[in-house]
Amino acid sequence: MRITDLLKSESIALGQKPADKKSAIRQLADLMAASGNLSDKEQYLKDVFAREASGTTGLGDGIATPHAKSTGVKEAGLAAMTVPEGMDFESMDGNPARLFFMIAAPDSANDAHIQILQQLAMMIMDPDFKEALIAAKTKEEFLHLIDLKEDGKFEAPKAEAAAEGDGAAAEEKPASDHIQVLAVTACPTGIAHTFMAAESLEQHAKKRGISIKVETNGSGGAKNILTDEEIAAADGIIVAADKNVAMARFDGKKVVITKVADGINKADELIDRALKGDAPVYHASGSDTEESAADVQGESLGRQIYKHLMNGVSHMLPFVVGGGILIALAFLFDDYSIDPKNFGSNTPLAKFFKDIGGASFGFMLPVLAGFISMSIADRPGLAVGFVGGALAGTTGSGFLGALIAGFLGGYIVNFLKKASKCLPDSLEGIKPMLIYPFFGILIMGFISLFIIAPPVSAINGWMVDTLKNMDPSARIFMGMIVAGMMAVDMGGPINKAAYVTGTGLLASGEFHVMAAVMAGGMVPPLAIALCTTFFKNRFTESERKAGVTNYVMGLSFITEGAIPFAAADPLRVIPACVVGSAVTGALTMAFDCTLRAPHGGIFVVPTIGNPLMYLVSILVGAIIGCLILSILKKPLKDGEDK
């Protein structure tokens, strides 16, 4: 397979003048769709914008490669666009972008497709090839240049080639008997930036006569892996990565650690630093797990706490969601009149659901604490955190106690790692199997039982009792806050904070807050869907089509369905959704709605306390959000709807 098998003539646009970054991305997506590569353009755009939110794909030096792996992609493909005058694409070096290649890969993209896309990423790092593409007058010439480059027949203009050759000769270094510079490049997607950084480092080293080997951690796994012998003999090491890579192998070596973008734009500077030893000595933590460049360089305390918390929450949610819905079904299929005190287990079917759901739900606190601890202290922290979470459940300190135990467990193990460094090397093998778990669990048990449990259990009980006995007006205000938070960033930290609050109180036997949280999360996509249906002149044709899918997403409690609309017009969409969600949360509290399942949307409504008014609350909030959005968004002018 060749690059031109993925890049069709109908997916190329030359000499364009897009108004801004979003317009450029949408124009490229239209070109991609024209070649039949997309099954759901809006889903693909959503994933591309999400990729941009994590870091610009404006690589610098006039190149931009917006891309994503997406369920909206039917077949891997490319789209290309030239903007000779340049445009602001928030490039890493601040320069205008002039050459665009959009990359689309399905979630199940095979190695053949990925390799082709990686090859293109490396080719456009050649400055002469890049300029030739930008200067192309026809699509046929553009494709012909790519064929020449892929066949190794592309030739740079003679004058430039000679000048370049003189520069290389002037900087050439004597040959070495070992590889002087080793590098590792990696980016989250693993399609473009990883290989462009590798190519940039290799080209700059070659021009200077410096031997280099670059390991790439792409979507297909690590390639060109560095050996222990090469690491031991190297004069300098560079890690340009935005994702986790194996770092323990560099223990005791000076390592230049930076982001992958610097590998593309600052290759010479990185090589100079590596050769001069201008970098701190890297000290491994003692674990064979991977670390990211960001971790090694040091993150803010708030970012670290959030990352550790989300590691615990993400592992906990499957147990909570699965178990919570099963428990809710137990109440749905039970007969309250048989034995009110045993409600949920009176009938055989109800008991079946309750027992299985209860077993799953019982893992909630140990898993939360265990994986928070593991995020902090790697694998040795897992057992210590699990025990702390289990004790939080038995002592009544609940969700809050498990949170504290998770963080405490990680830091206990890190302390034990430092304290045990004085032990003989012969005991190295028993540390993770004996020393860390024995002393870690012992310390955790003592702290959990005698320090955490008494005050936190009291706080937990007070909080649940307060919510249950709260004045109706205060309860309504609480519902407004948590439901409104669900619409602020729709899957981001604020949304997750509200959701974690709801699930935590759910585990403590308080069911009103969870009802407000889920209802608030259902409103944003529903409000947008209603607005695209009844106020069509506010939206483009593609937005109206995408709006229909938001009915399904909203009813399924998938708040993220609103993200493409919020990303495209945040100042109008987000306030409208927040108000609609807040009204819904207030109404669910006013109508005394309760929810025992932490997910499920419309499918768990029969298990909700006061289900009819719960649906009314959601409908009212969605209508209010729709009306506010229709007021904030002005009708499009003629032609803009296309």
Side-chain angles (χ1 to χ4, degrees), residues 21 47 63 94 125 188 202 287 291 295 303 312 315 323 356 363 368 393 414 449 474 479 485 502 536 558 561 617:
K21 180 175 181 176
D47 293 329
I63 301 170
M125 294 307 295
E202 289 171 351
S287 167
E291 295 182 78
D295 292 336
R303 175 62 185 169
H315 284 88
I356 297 175
F363 284 102
L368 172 68
N414 280 344
L449 293 173
M485 289 172 66
K536 296 181 179 180
I558 303 176
S617 301

Side-chain angles (χ1 to χ4, degrees), residues 467-486:
L467 285 168
K468 289 181 177 179
N469 300 310
M470 186 179 285
D471 180 83
S473 60
R475 184 183 289 276
I476 289 171
F477 181 73
M478 176 73 172
M480 289 177 59
I481 296 298
V482 294
M485 289 172 66
M486 292 296 292

Side-chain angles (χ1 to χ4, degrees), residues 441-508:
I441 291 172
L442 178 63
I443 296 171
M444 171 58 75
F446 178 84
I447 294 176
S448 293
L449 293 173
F450 298 105
I451 298 177
I452 296 177
V456 175
S457 297
I459 292 171
N460 197 48
W462 169 83
M463 183 168 56
V464 173
D465 290 339
T466 300
L467 285 168
K468 289 181 177 179
N469 300 310
M470 186 179 285
D471 180 83
S473 60
R475 184 183 289 276
I476 289 171
F477 181 73
M478 176 73 172
M480 289 177 59
I481 296 298
V482 294
M485 289 172 66
M486 292 296 292
V488 172
D489 52 1
M490 304 172 192
I494 298 174
N495 172 286
K496 284 186 171 64
Y499 186 73
V500 167
T501 300
T503 55
L505 291 170
L506 188 67
S508 301

Side-chain angles (χ1 to χ4, degrees), residues 117-466:
L117 300 176
Q118 293 165 357
Q119 183 178 343
L120 171 67
M122 293 186 287
M123 283 166 49
I124 58 178
M125 294 307 295
D126 181 338
D128 297 313
F129 177 60
K130 176 196 70 178
E131 293 299 332
L133 289 176
I134 295 172
K137 301 299 182 184
T138 66
K139 297 179 181 181
E140 291 74 18
E141 180 185 355
F142 193 93
L143 291 169
H144 181 60
L145 287 168
I146 293 175
D147 279 333
L148 289 175
K149 182 68 174 177
E150 195 167 12
D151 292 335
K153 298 178 181 178
F154 174 80
E155 294 183 2
K158 298 295 183 183
E160 291 182 25
E164 186 177 294
D166 292 342
E171 295 187 62
E172 190 170 347
K173 306 284 184 183
S176 174
D177 59 352
H178 64 277
I179 300 174
Q180 295 165 277
V181 177
L182 301 178
V184 179
T185 61
C187 69
T189 308
I191 295 177
H193 292 63
T194 299
F195 301 92
M196 298 176 84
E199 182 71 7
S200 179
L201 289 166
E202 289 171 351
Q203 283 194 10
H204 284 80
K206 182 179 179 181
K207 289 179 181 179
R208 297 169 56 177
I210 298 169
S211 58
I212 188 170
K213 178 179 178 180
V214 184
E215 175 185 306
T216 55
N217 280 242
S219 59
K223 303 291 175 61
N224 206 29
I225 297 175
L226 309 179
T227 67
D228 292 340
E229 294 76 15
E230 291 166 344
I231 294 171
D235 297 331
I237 298 171
I238 301 167
V239 175
D242 290 342
K243 59 174 280 190
N244 291 350
V245 297
M247 294 293 296
R249 52 189 166 159
F250 302 131
D251 187 33
K253 302 285 290 187
K254 289 188 174 182
V255 184
V256 177
I257 300 172
T258 187
K259 54 190 178 183
V260 71
D262 288 344
I264 299 171
N265 299 306
K266 300 179 180 180
D268 271 325
E269 178 184 325
L270 296 181
I271 292 171
D272 286 338
R273 287 183 58 195
L275 291 175
K276 292 176 183 177
D278 180 20
V281 175
Y282 174 73
H283 295 291
S285 64
S287 167
D288 61 353
T289 56
E290 297 180 338
E291 295 182 78
S292 69
D295 292 336
V296 177
Q297 294 182 88
E299 297 175 305
S300 68
L301 179 61
R303 175 62 185 169
Q304 290 181 37
I305 291 173
Y306 175 73
K307 181 186 69 175
H308 300 322
L309 174 61
M310 285 302 106
N311 189 62
V313 170
S314 64
H315 284 88
M316 172 196 77
L317 282 181
F319 295 92
V320 179
V321 173
I325 292 176
L326 286 169
I327 291 173
L329 289 174
F331 290 103
L332 176 64
F333 293 116
D334 202 10
D335 185 346
Y336 181 82
S337 63
I338 296 175
D339 183 0
K341 294 181 179 179
N342 195 39
F343 185 49
S345 300
N346 286 323
T347 66
L349 181 60
K351 189 176 188 306
F352 171 76
F353 284 124
K354 184 75 176 293
D355 289 347
I356 297 175
S360 176
F361 212 76
F363 284 102
M364 171 185 173
L365 300 182
V367 169
L368 172 68
F371 281 94
I372 289 175
S373 180
M374 184 177 179
S375 179
I376 297 170
D378 297 323
R379 199 174 306 161
L382 185 62
V384 179
F386 256 84
V387 172
L391 290 173
T394 59
T395 58
S397 56
F399 189 80
L400 183 58
L403 281 178
I404 297 172
F407 284 98
L408 188 62
Y411 294 123
I412 287 173
V413 173
N414 280 344
F415 169 77
L416 292 173
K417 288 180 181 179
K418 293 179 181 179
S420 62
K421 284 185 176 180
C422 60
L423 296 177
D425 292 342
S426 59
L427 298 179
E428 191 68 29
I430 70 168
K431 288 181 182 179
M433 295 300 296
L434 175 61
I435 295 176
Y436 301 153
F438 174 74
F439 288 102
I441 291 172
L442 178 63
I443 296 171
M444 171 58 75
F446 178 84
I447 294 176
S448 293
L449 293 173
F450 298 105
I451 298 177
I452 296 177
V456 175
S457 297
I459 292 171
N460 197 48
W462 169 83
M463 183 168 56
V464 173
D465 290 339
T466 300

Side-chain angles (χ1 to χ4, degrees), residues 479 482-483 486 511-521 581 584-585 588-589 614:
V482 294
M486 292 296 292
F511 309 122
H512 292 84
V513 174
M514 191 66 239
V517 165
M518 189 170 81
S581 292
T584 291
T588 64
M589 287 292 191
Y614 191 74

